[in-house]
Amino acid sequence: MKEIKTYLDANKQRFLDELLEILRIPSVSADPKYAGDVRRMAEATAQHLKAVGADNVEVCNTAGHPIVYGEKMVNPKAPTVLVYGHYDVQPADPLNLWDSPPFEPVVKKTKHHPDGAIFARGSCDDKGQFFMHVKAFEMMLNTKNLPCNVKFMIEGEEEVGSKNLEKFCRDNKKKLACDVVLISDTSIIDNKTPSITVGLRGLCYMEVEVTGPNKDLHSGVYGGAVANPINVLCQMIASLHDAKRHITVKGFYDDVQKVSGKERKAMNAAPYDEKQYMKDLGVNDLMGEKGYTTVERTGIRPTLDVNGIWGGYIGEGAKTVLPSKAYAKISMRLVPDQDPKKIEKLFQKHFEGLAPKSVKVKVTAHHGGYPVVVPTNSVEYKASEKAMEQAFGKKPLPQR
Amino acid sequence: MKEIKTYLDANKQRFLDELLEILRIPSVSADPKYAGDVRRMAEATAQHLKAVGADNVEVCNTAGHPIVYGEKMVNPKAPTVLVYGHYDVQPADPLNLWDSPPFEPVVKKTKHHPDGAIFARGSCDDKGQFFMHVKAFEMMLNTKNLPCNVKFMIEGEEEVGSKNLEKFCRDNKKKLACDVVLISDTSIIDNKTPSITVGLRGLCYMEVEVTGPNKDLHSGVYGGAVANPINVLCQMIASLHDAKRHITVKGFYDDVQKVSGKERKAMNAAPYDEKQYMKDLGVNDLMGEKGYTTVERTGIRPTLDVNGIWGGYIGEGAKTVLPSKAYAKISMRLVPDQDPKKIEKLFQKHFEGLAPKSVKVKVTAHHGGYPVVVPTNSVEYKASEKAMEQAFGKKPLPQR
């Protein structure tokens, strides 16, 4: 440990300067006008991997933004850890809400960050995190403390749905083969309460279109006689939850894994201040599935949210239109062992079945994602737990 | 009658040419860039009134578009008829749906118009109608057949809510004093079934805003624990009708006039082909208040329609946002003796009462309008009925 501490003390400022340097690159994956910067960021990432001693470093082209790969195979018999991260960032707008320019990082102390923190787009999503692993790797190599093989896969499309990652993984199975994947693209409960994210909910994202009459009508002439697709859509959406806030889609809960009382108890032991949570969100009450706590509702229970709705006249003032169409984007968060493809079909069938004869309904699917939970009794989890306990002075909580 | 027929035959082509001329003026009241054309149309209207023999013709300025006034007082003891009309028109877009330019009128025969009709923006709303009255006035004056006093009030803001008309009427009570108001800004059942519109539903137009959390949230992190304002708004809207499609706003029906069985029977005697009605609208079923026919639902019953709804992400693809706010425009059609101001208050109270503690609700009112029904046993109605019976060969039906 001593040599690690010595190495850190000697290099901390350089680590910080290097991180600030890559935070200056506006690698916004969603906006084509930053495509050159995204490429520049991929090259910079590759340079860093090379500089710290990774082998076979590549900037791998895809149909979209490139994926950076690098590795260090110290012993074919040792386990292999693949570090996943992403070097792209979310768009920085609305710009007027930034106190300093998003791509000009500043280090400052605030009420929430008494020890100081870096303020920049990407500092904690996900440049800060993957760079931490790169520097840990550097240190372990240089102090001869690296006990396992390491592979890096740092992609550039996380913020736009990782459209080309799946194909890349399928095409490079052998290269990416590993025993454990380490992802640091999540959060910690707080600095006094270390935690390890062991589960993420999956997703099934649908779009629905309800068509009433074949053209927009005047609500004075037709109102009351012809089904209004907005009113109908609202009724259909309202019926997707029952009074206990259970989701009514037939078969929706069939594959949901039951979580043991012990695990639920452990989850609820994590520090959580409901008053502060509500205060931060500016709400007077929370709302969710009966019989579950907030931590359980957002961790181990599936949900259904309308992410967008639109139809009719939405400009200034009043227009007495009885519109032809109404639309909504509806997504479901899934938990093990729900299958997004199966849920997609169940939703489609259920939603179409809700429609009265007076309207037509079209249901289409956007992307989905599988839920995941990793076991906390594996050697790898125990190793992470031990490492964090050493650093924080207390055992981290598993979080999902 | 003979001299009328002679006059009509001699002047029909000139009447048509004059009408086509004013249809060429793009008097779009909603769009400021047509303000000069709206003014030009007001001047042209005044010119026509003068030319046909009206006295005291004025283009009266208002805070918005001008109102044209003219009169002929033949006998202070005779009854006075005030003819109301509007010379402004709706915007012509979407332009690509027009077969010929909206302000270049053409006369042509179609399947629905075997005798030919004028196609132009405003030809039947409302330039054609008010000009018909101007020409009837001309003919009656020239053939010495005018038995009553006539006043014209032709405004230029009907299509934008007649914002300045009420003040004008209040400020000019004496000038506008009359025994009956004749409005031809409505439709006829069909050319084989003459009808007179004797009632119009009123309006109460509201806008609602539902606020959940104080900022947009990620549905993966917060979904299931925090009230989603779109889901909540949908539930609130869905609850505004019961299973019989009655409106649930407390006190909503308190002042609704009961319509006699006799009057309902008369209404339902009007020709109405439900299959054709559905075919024209492209729907497989109609939807409305239990216990009433379509004619009754759109004539004598109040209704509630969502005219617009919006919230969250409404662009292409998927965004897993749990939005802070959701909005809707909700209007109610009113019947005698419902008071829009009273309904406004009832709606506001009821809607606020629907909100769960987890959201905040703001309800604001747009413009409203009073419902109206005129008696069909008055001398004036009987005179109109008689005139139409002479022209069409059958008695017109009262319609509302």
Side-chain angles (χ1 to χ4, degrees):
Chain A
M1 278 294 280
K2 194 168 165 271
E3 57 196 355
I4 293 176
K5 186 84 176 58
T6 310
Y7 192 89
L8 275 181
D9 287 343
N11 294 284
K12 202 175 168 188
Q13 188 59 45
R14 176 175 60 84
F15 289 179
L16 180 64
D17 291 343
E18 287 176 358
L19 174 57
L20 296 180
E21 199 53 43
I22 60 170
L23 287 171
R24 289 191 181 99
I25 304 175
S27 50
V28 181
S29 51
D31 189 339
K33 86 167 183 266
Y34 292 103
D37 294 304
V38 173
R39 164 69 58 174
R40 191 152 61 88
M41 181 61 205
E43 303 285 356
T45 304
Q47 276 309 317
H48 275 290
L49 287 178
K50 277 182 206 165
V52 298
D55 301 323
N56 302 323
V57 174
E58 274 180 89
V59 173
C60 311
N61 288 323
T62 72
H65 297 302
I67 295 169
V68 182
Y69 178 81
E71 62 179 28
K72 192 82 200 180
M73 305 304 283
V74 291
N75 175 358
K77 285 183 183 156
T80 301
V81 176
L82 185 141
V83 174
Y84 164 91
H86 65 92
Y87 63 78
D88 65 320
V89 298
Q90 286 266 351
D93 41 317
L95 287 172
N96 59 325
L97 296 181
W98 284 84
D99 293 325
S100 55
F103 298 106
E104 295 175 22
V106 291
V107 180
K108 62 178 178 185
K109 290 180 184 175
T110 72
K111 205 179 105 190
H112 291 294
H113 305 87
D115 299 325
I118 304 171
F119 290 84
R121 171 57 87 219
S123 60
C124 71
D125 183 16
D126 185 46
K127 290 180 184 176
Q129 288 100 314
F130 90 71
F131 201 69
M132 169 183 76
H133 292 302
V134 173
K135 292 293 123 178
F137 172 73
E138 173 191 326
M139 186 195 65
M140 291 167 98
L141 261 189
N142 287 354
T143 58
K144 304 204 182 337
N145 270 300
L146 186 65
C148 60
N149 304 310
V150 177
K151 294 176 176 179
F152 286 96
M153 178 178 73
I154 315 294
E155 67 142 331
E157 295 189 334
E158 202 282 333
E159 304 297 9
V160 289
S162 296
K163 286 177 194 166
N164 295 290
L165 187 64
E166 188 175 332
K167 183 177 187 305
F168 180 79
C169 291
R170 287 188 193 283
D171 292 351
N172 295 279
K173 269 189 180 170
K174 215 171 156 186
K175 179 154 83 178
L176 301 172
C178 60
D179 297 287
V180 61
V181 178
L182 177 63
I183 301 177
S184 297
D185 189 18
T186 49
S187 56
I188 196 173
I189 293 175
D190 62 50
N191 287 341
K192 287 181 195 142
T193 320
S195 59
I196 299 176
T197 300
V198 296
L200 285 175
R201 291 192 289 182
L203 183 70
C204 175
Y205 200 113
M206 311 296 287
E207 187 160 326
V208 300
E209 178 191 288
V210 176
T211 305
N214 52 13
K215 54 182 173 285
D216 285 4
L217 302 176
H218 189 282
S219 72
V221 179
Y222 292 92
V226 179
N228 179 322
I230 306 180
N231 289 65
V232 171
L233 175 60
C234 288
Q235 281 185 310
M236 293 169 81
I237 288 173
S239 81
L240 294 174
H241 286 97
D242 67 15
K244 291 179 171 175
R245 303 295 300 166
H246 282 104
I247 294 154
T248 57
V249 174
K250 283 177 202 80
F252 185 78
Y253 292 99
D254 283 0
D255 299 328
V256 172
Q257 254 184 32
K258 212 170 144 41
V259 178
S260 71
K262 195 181 151 198
E263 197 175 337
R264 287 176 66 177
K265 209 176 158 189
M267 288 184 78
N268 287 297
Y272 163 72
D273 181 343
E274 188 136 298
K275 275 191 185 155
Q276 190 59 43
Y277 186 81
M278 292 202 288
K279 200 181 159 198
D280 288 347
L281 297 170
V283 296
N284 293 322
D285 198 9
L286 298 173
M287 183 191 267
E289 192 182 357
K290 272 256 165 80
Y292 294 91
T293 64
T294 294
V295 175
E296 291 168 343
R297 285 168 177 173
T298 58
I300 59 169
R301 296 301 293 172
T303 60
L304 184 149
D305 268 294
V306 183
N307 303 106
I309 193 166
W310 69 106
Y313 180 70
I314 61 177
E316 281 293 308
K319 186 180 170 185
T320 50
V321 65
L322 194 169
S324 170
K325 286 175 186 289
Y327 306 83
K329 291 177 194 275
I330 299 172
S331 73
M332 289 150 281
R333 288 283 161 185
L334 310 180
V335 298
D337 291 321
Q338 289 179 301
D339 180 325
K341 294 284 173 202
K342 187 176 165 188
I343 294 292
E344 202 176 293
K345 288 196 185 71
L346 289 176
F347 178 85
Q348 175 152 8
K349 194 176 168 201
H350 179 84
F351 200 78
E352 287 171 352
L354 293 175
K357 222 180 116 192
S358 48
V359 300
K360 292 175 195 77
V361 170
K362 201 170 106 187
V363 179
T364 49
H366 287 291
H367 70 280
Y370 285 81
V372 68
V373 172
V374 298
T376 53
N377 57 3
S378 65
V379 175
E380 295 82 3
Y381 183 82
K382 295 284 177 199
S384 312
E385 194 180 48
K386 194 174 154 195
M388 284 189 87
E389 192 176 354
Q390 282 180 345
F392 284 86
K394 63 169 106 165
K395 224 177 180 171
L397 295 170
Q399 197 189 16
R400 54 190 269 200
Chain B
M1 276 294 279
K2 195 169 163 272
E3 58 195 357
I4 293 177
K5 186 83 175 62
T6 309
Y7 192 91
L8 274 181
D9 287 343
N11 293 285
K12 200 176 167 186
Q13 187 60 45
R14 176 174 59 84
F15 288 0
L16 180 63
D17 292 342
E18 288 175 359
L19 175 56
L20 295 181
E21 199 53 43
I22 59 170
L23 288 172
R24 290 192 180 97
I25 303 174
S27 49
V28 182
S29 51
D31 189 339
K33 85 167 183 265
Y34 292 104
D37 295 303
V38 174
R39 164 68 59 174
R40 191 152 62 88
M41 181 62 205
E43 303 285 356
T45 304
Q47 275 310 316
H48 276 289
L49 287 177
K50 276 182 205 164
V52 299
D55 301 325
N56 301 322
V57 175
E58 275 180 89
V59 174
C60 309
N61 288 324
T62 73
H65 298 301
I67 294 168
V68 182
Y69 178 81
E71 62 178 28
K72 192 81 197 181
M73 304 304 284
V74 292
N75 176 357
K77 285 182 182 157
T80 301
V81 175
L82 185 141
V83 174
Y84 164 91
H86 66 91
Y87 64 79
D88 65 318
V89 297
Q90 287 266 351
D93 41 313
L95 287 172
N96 60 326
L97 295 181
W98 284 85
D99 294 324
S100 55
F103 298 107
E104 294 175 22
V106 291
V107 180
K108 64 177 177 186
K109 291 178 183 175
T110 72
K111 204 180 106 189
H112 291 294
H113 305 90
D115 300 325
I118 304 170
F119 291 84
R121 172 56 86 216
S123 60
C124 70
D125 182 16
D126 186 46
K127 290 179 183 176
Q129 288 100 316
F130 91 72
F131 201 69
M132 169 182 77
H133 293 301
V134 172
K135 291 292 123 178
F137 173 73
E138 173 192 326
M139 188 193 62
M140 291 168 100
L141 260 189
N142 287 356
T143 58
K144 304 206 184 334
N145 270 300
L146 186 66
C148 61
N149 304 310
V150 176
K151 294 176 176 178
F152 286 96
M153 178 177 75
I154 316 294
E155 67 142 329
E157 295 189 334
E158 202 283 333
E159 304 298 9
V160 289
S162 297
K163 287 178 195 167
N164 294 291
L165 188 64
E166 187 175 333
K167 182 176 188 305
F168 180 79
C169 292
R170 286 188 193 285
D171 292 350
N172 294 278
K173 269 190 180 166
K174 216 171 157 187
K175 179 155 83 178
L176 302 171
C178 61
D179 297 287
V180 60
V181 178
L182 177 62
I183 301 177
S184 297
D185 189 18
T186 49
S187 56
I188 195 173
I189 293 176
D190 61 52
N191 287 341
K192 288 180 194 144
T193 320
S195 60
I196 299 176
T197 300
V198 296
L200 285 175
R201 291 192 288 182
L203 183 70
C204 176
Y205 200 114
M206 311 295 287
E207 188 161 324
V208 300
E209 178 191 289
V210 175
T211 305
N214 52 13
K215 54 184 173 285
D216 285 3
L217 302 176
H218 190 282
S219 71
V221 180
Y222 292 92
V226 179
N228 179 322
I230 306 179
N231 288 65
V232 171
L233 175 60
C234 287
Q235 282 186 309
M236 294 170 80
I237 288 173
S239 81
L240 294 173
H241 286 97
D242 66 15
K244 291 179 172 177
R245 303 293 301 165
H246 282 103
I247 294 153
T248 56
V249 174
K250 283 178 202 80
F252 185 78
Y253 292 99
D254 283 0
D255 298 328
V256 172
Q257 256 184 30
K258 213 171 142 50
V259 178
S260 72
K262 196 181 151 197
E263 199 176 333
R264 286 176 68 176
K265 209 175 158 189
M267 287 184 79
N268 287 298
Y272 163 72
D273 181 343
E274 189 135 298
K275 275 192 184 156
Q276 190 59 44
Y277 186 82
M278 292 202 289
K279 199 181 159 196
D280 289 347
L281 298 171
V283 295
N284 294 322
D285 200 8
L286 299 174
M287 184 190 266
E289 193 183 357
K290 272 256 164 82
Y292 294 91
T293 64
T294 294
V295 175
E296 291 168 345
R297 286 168 177 173
T298 58
I300 59 169
R301 297 301 293 173
T303 60
L304 183 149
D305 269 294
V306 183
N307 303 107
I309 193 165
W310 69 105
Y313 179 70
I314 61 177
E316 281 294 308
K319 186 180 170 184
T320 50
V321 64
L322 195 168
S324 171
K325 285 174 186 289
Y327 306 83
K329 292 178 192 274
I330 300 172
S331 74
M332 288 150 281
R333 288 285 161 183
L334 310 179
V335 297
D337 291 322
Q338 288 179 300
D339 179 325
K341 294 283 173 203
K342 188 176 164 188
I343 294 292
E344 201 175 294
K345 288 197 184 72
L346 289 176
F347 178 87
Q348 175 152 12
K349 195 177 167 198
H350 178 84
F351 200 78
E352 286 171 353
L354 293 176
K357 223 180 115 194
S358 48
V359 300
K360 292 176 195 77
V361 170
K362 201 170 106 187
V363 179
T364 49
H366 287 291
H367 71 281
Y370 284 82
V372 66
V373 172
V374 298
T376 53
N377 57 2
S378 66
V379 175
E380 294 82 2
Y381 182 82
K382 295 284 178 197
S384 312
E385 193 179 49
K386 194 173 154 195
M388 284 190 86
E389 192 176 356
Q390 282 179 347
F392 283 86
K394 62 169 106 166
K395 225 175 178 171
L397 295 170
Q399 199 190 15
R400 55 190 268 199

